[in-house]
Structure formats: structure tokens, C-alpha cells
Amino acid sequence: MLRMDIPALERFLADNFPQAEALGFQMTALDEEHIALSLTTSAAHLRPGGTVSGPVMMTMADTAAYLIILAHLGPVALAVTTNLNIHFVRKPAPGPLHVTARLLKLGKRIAVAEVRLGGEQADALCAHATVTYSIPPQR
């Protein structure tokens, strides 16, 4: 059961992480299994050679994992990344970057999510990540 929907997640980010607005992504879908984000990349997101930079893709992977975890846990601002492992599969072209995260495990102290990042063509995987979060003790 989801404890937060997209509007609740957006309010949470605005209240706790106002810098997230500068990232420029949108949450486009959320259900029990997945969250989807999209980012329209611009010159600010590119590295030399015209590809979306690795730090941008890692930020999007981490953000998507955090949001799917929060959607299930509720507003736990102090959940923190303990590991992010990413494989860059192909270079994404400038333009839309689509990110989908799903929970692999949600325990009392650890959560693990799988994240897929793709470009304009839905079947073209650009990067794959697994992200682990530490969940603070609940009172």
C-alpha cells in the first residue's frame, strides 16, 4: 500500500529538499510497483561529446529510488543512500530521459531499488542501477 502519492511526494520535496526543483524532473507515474520520472535534458546536462553526463543519470537514479521508497514508507527525510551501483549501457542523446524505479526489497532498516534509465526510444536502455537505502529506526 502506498503511503504517499505524487502530490504528497512533490510537497515533501518542496518542504524538505527545495533544491530538488532545480533538477527539473517530473514524476509522471506511480503505482505499487514503480515510479516513473522524466527529465528533458538541456545543454546544462551534457558532457563534452553531446551525451547526458553520468552525474545527471546517477542523480536521477538516486532520486527515483528515494521517491519509490518514500511512496511506500511515508515521509522519512533521513533515509539515506548507502550504495548506488550503475552500469552505463549506451550513451543517451540530448532530449528526454525516462527513469523507472521499482522496489526489490523494503525491510525495516534497508531498502533496495532497481532503476532503469532510457532515452526517447522506450526500449533503448541507457543505464541500469541498483540503489540501497538505510532507513532510520521508526518510533
Side-chain angles (χ1 to χ4, degrees):
M1 178 174 119
L2 293 177
R3 294 187 179 196
M4 298 178 80
D5 58 11
I6 289 176
L9 289 167
E10 290 171 339
R11 284 190 303 276
F12 175 82
L13 289 177
D15 292 345
N16 293 279
F17 297 97
Q19 66 273 25
E21 184 179 348
L23 297 176
F25 69 89
Q26 287 188 305
M27 288 179 257
T28 58
L30 173 63
D31 61 31
E32 288 286 330
E33 299 286 322
H34 301 90
I35 190 163
L37 311 178
S38 67
L39 172 70
T40 301
T41 61
S42 67
H45 300 107
L46 304 181
R47 65 179 310 278
T51 185
V52 177
S53 74
V56 168
M57 290 189 283
M58 288 184 275
T59 299
M60 291 299 294
D62 190 41
T63 301
Y66 185 57
L67 292 171
I68 191 67
I69 291 165
L70 290 183
H72 285 271
L73 285 181
V76 182
L78 297 179
V80 295
T81 309
T82 59
N83 186 62
L84 189 152
N85 185 24
I86 191 164
H87 297 273
F88 299 103
V89 179
R90 67 177 48 87
K91 84 178 201 176
L97 182 66
H98 301 288
V99 182
T100 304
R102 72 179 178 100
L103 279 177
L104 298 177
K105 174 192 170 101
L106 181 60
K108 289 184 180 186
R109 299 296 309 246
I110 295 289
V112 181
E114 173 191 44
V115 184
R116 298 174 62 84
L117 297 91
E120 202 162 7
Q121 296 178 332
D123 61 343
L125 181 69
C126 295
H128 178 266
T130 53
V131 186
T132 305
Y133 265 76
S134 175
I135 302 167
Q138 305 296 306
R139 296 181 189 189

